[in-house]
Amino acid sequence: MSAVCDGLGLPADGSRELTVTGGLPFFGGAGNNYSMHAIAETVQRLRAQPGAYGLVGANGGSLSKYSAGVYSTTPAEWRPDRSAALQAELDSRPGVEQAFQADGWATIETYTVKHGRGGKRTGIVVGRLEADGRRFIATSDDERTLGLLTTGEPIGRRVYVRSFGFGNRVAVDDALMDELFPPRPAVLRDDYEHVLVRRDGHVLEVTINRPDSRNSLHPPANDELDAVFDAYFADPGLWVAIITGADGKAFSAGNDLLYSASGKPMWVPKNGFAGLTSRRNMTKPVIAAVNGFAMGGGFEIALACHLVVADETARFALSEVKVGLVAAAGGLVRLPRALPGKLATEMILTGRRLTAAEALEHGLVNRVTEPGQALAGARELAREILESSPTSVRASLQIMAETQGIPDVVDAVTHPSPALDDLMVSEDVTEGLTAFAEKRPPRWRNR
């Protein structure tokens, strides 16, 4: 795009209106020299207005680059190129932090509206969060927000942004955002398409039910698992969760590569693969019952769980490098923290498979069962956890998570945690001490 300016570099009529547009939304694809269309139009206009100047700017590389050129009919002496020095100067200046997951009120900095086939329009907004000044990019396709972007001057206007696994979305206000994306209630549904759910007292059993694809996960399955675990962590009556795979042949083969290759939209929930690998505040135990293969994202799910029970047929691998990907759902971070560094690196770089026995030897799993008995072993482990105070279990997990990143041992030990305060005034403390004194089993209340 460009603007024809006077000799001072300002629009001749005092406005800031852009008079020439061109580029990716209007011409061709990669390699088609988008900005040349704007340059050609600017040259024609400048020839008709001797002494004027034109500015042409162009985006490139998925908003990662920007180029600009000033054009005029007035001859100028040749000056040596200073692009490298100018770029170094720009790079030395502090940048604006980007919010990859943007939530809250914000101000529009710039925008465009993309017109697709069949009349579909998509608004693209770059804005700043009011809370901390971070910059974000978000999209919208609802008519009220598109109306804001196509009427008058929206730059500087206040909008509301919310992040999802499929990206940031922007709306004119928070009420419209709730209307477009109603908050999902954190409760278990009666049925799911890709997941089986069984509630047994205080235990929730979650089965990935896609045996035809070795229980690999695609966006709809990930979304269901995310909703299930939202409900688990919100339900005070559920104390332990077990996740396993259907049919006994595979825990999960990870990402559904066939679905990915189909060209359909790919995304994962904000809480990560299976709603677990990026989830914070996992203050209730999740046990992985690994039957058969746990590959790629399937292994990353197991790594994200607090405890792992595997049968003798279980095999663990981060096989992403075999298909040109990386284990970005936690494998590259959690595996080197769970295994000796050299072994973890070998597995990551070669896709080497670890047997259940090897995983047990290195402390990657808690227990190994006979073939086909991983779920039974996980149920037994869950039963043992249920003998303990759920309030104590929850507080223990919370304090472990809070202190994991504190390098000094004494600082970690003396870290003040609200979980400990909550525990000391809970009914479970009184019940536990009373039951011990009366030599009877405690009756936990989780309060």
Side-chain angles (χ1 to χ4, degrees):
M1 53 189 170
S2 70
V4 179
C5 307
D6 63 19
L8 297 176
L10 299 174
D13 62 358
S15 72
R16 58 187 299 274
E17 181 180 359
L18 298 176
T19 58
V20 181
T21 59
L24 181 59
F26 307 96
F27 301 98
N32 283 0
N33 199 4
Y34 319 127
S35 56
M36 187 57 70
H37 300 281
I39 293 172
E41 180 66 21
T42 300
V43 167
Q44 283 189 332
R45 289 171 179 255
L46 292 176
R47 285 173 174 168
Q49 301 178 46
Y53 292 84
L55 172 66
V56 175
N59 283 324
S62 300
L63 304 181
S64 64
K65 304 182 182 79
Y66 193 82
S67 63
V70 178
Y71 297 81
S72 173
T73 58
T74 303
E77 292 184 6
W78 175 259
R79 290 180 294 179
D81 177 68
R82 296 182 56 243
S83 297
L86 291 172
Q87 187 63 54
E89 180 183 348
L90 291 173
D91 292 342
S92 68
R93 297 181 181 181
V96 178
E97 183 180 356
Q98 183 177 351
F100 293 97
Q101 294 182 346
D103 295 277
W105 289 100
T107 303
I108 297 176
E109 285 194 325
T110 190
Y111 69 97
T112 190
V113 176
K114 182 174 66 174
H115 295 258
R117 292 185 176 89
K120 178 178 173 57
R121 300 185 300 167
T122 301
I124 304 173
V125 169
V126 174
R128 289 278 193 105
L129 291 171
E130 291 183 357
D132 55 20
R134 289 182 299 158
R135 179 175 285 150
F136 64 88
I137 183 169
T139 62
S140 177
D141 57 9
D142 79 275
E143 289 303 316
R144 283 183 57 189
T145 306
L146 287 169
L148 170 67
L149 298 180
T150 55
T151 305
E153 177 54 90
I155 292 177
R157 292 287 297 272
R158 197 169 188 241
V159 290
Y160 195 82
V161 62
R162 183 174 293 169
S163 62
F164 302 88
F166 45 81
N168 297 321
R169 296 294 181 265
V170 67
V172 294
D173 54 36
D174 53 349
L176 178 59
M177 184 66 74
D178 287 341
E179 180 182 330
L180 295 171
F181 303 97
R184 183 175 63 191
V187 294
L188 294 172
R189 304 205 309 255
D190 292 333
D191 62 334
Y192 297 89
E193 184 177 356
H194 308 290
V195 177
L196 300 176
V197 174
R198 176 176 178 265
R199 184 169 187 155
D200 183 13
H202 296 303
V203 178
L204 179 68
E205 293 183 4
V206 184
T207 303
I208 304 170
N209 190 31
R210 303 189 74 226
D212 292 342
S213 61
R214 298 173 69 186
N215 296 319
S216 61
L217 298 179
H218 59 348
N222 273 316
D223 195 45
E224 287 190 349
L225 286 163
D226 186 45
V228 167
F229 282 107
D230 278 350
Y232 165 64
F233 285 104
D235 190 333
L238 290 171
W239 298 356
V240 182
I242 299 171
I243 181 170
T244 192
D247 205 27
K249 297 179 182 178
F251 173 72
S252 174
N255 184 39
D256 189 335
L257 297 179
L258 293 179
Y259 186 94
S260 300
S262 70
K264 297 177 182 177
M266 287 298 300
W267 56 273
V268 295
K270 288 171 63 176
N271 288 316
F273 213 62
L276 289 175
T277 59
S278 298
R279 184 180 290 272
R280 299 182 185 272
N281 303 319
M282 288 179 56
T283 55
K284 292 197 286 187
V286 180
I287 305 171
V290 179
N291 41 289
F293 293 103
M295 300 295 187
F299 189 14
E300 290 175 302
I301 296 170
L303 287 168
C305 293
H306 299 103
L307 303 163
V308 180
V309 176
D311 72 11
E312 293 176 354
T313 70
R315 297 293 182 270
F316 301 88
L318 293 178
S319 48
E320 283 84 351
V321 293
K322 298 291 189 181
V323 293
L325 300 173
V326 297
L332 298 179
V333 175
R334 289 191 171 99
L335 192 62
R337 298 184 183 190
L339 290 179
K342 295 293 189 294
L343 176 58
T345 302
E346 180 184 351
M347 292 183 66
I348 289 168
L349 300 186
T350 68
R352 171 185 165 179
R353 297 181 181 184
L354 210 64
T355 67
E358 290 173 316
L360 181 64
E361 177 185 354
H362 291 291
L364 197 61
V365 305
N366 299 87
R367 301 177 184 182
V368 175
T369 71
E370 296 180 358
Q373 296 301 307
L375 180 56
R379 288 170 176 167
E380 174 59 24
L381 183 54
R383 185 192 64 77
E384 294 175 21
I385 295 173
L386 293 179
E387 294 177 356
S388 303
S389 158
T391 310
S392 298
V393 169
R394 187 174 65 246
S396 297
L397 290 175
Q398 182 173 336
I399 294 172
M400 289 167 65
E402 289 174 359
T403 58
Q404 188 175 24
I406 301 177
D408 184 84
V409 174
V410 175
D411 288 345
V413 170
T414 57
H415 168 74
S417 174
L420 187 59
D421 297 334
D422 293 341
L423 174 67
M424 297 312 295
V425 297
S426 70
E427 294 183 33
D428 274 4
V429 165
T430 302
E431 171 60 17
L433 296 176
T434 301
F436 178 80
E438 296 176 354
K439 298 181 179 180
R440 62 170 176 80
R443 295 182 289 272
W444 305 120
R445 302 181 183 181
N446 195 29
R447 292 198 298 267

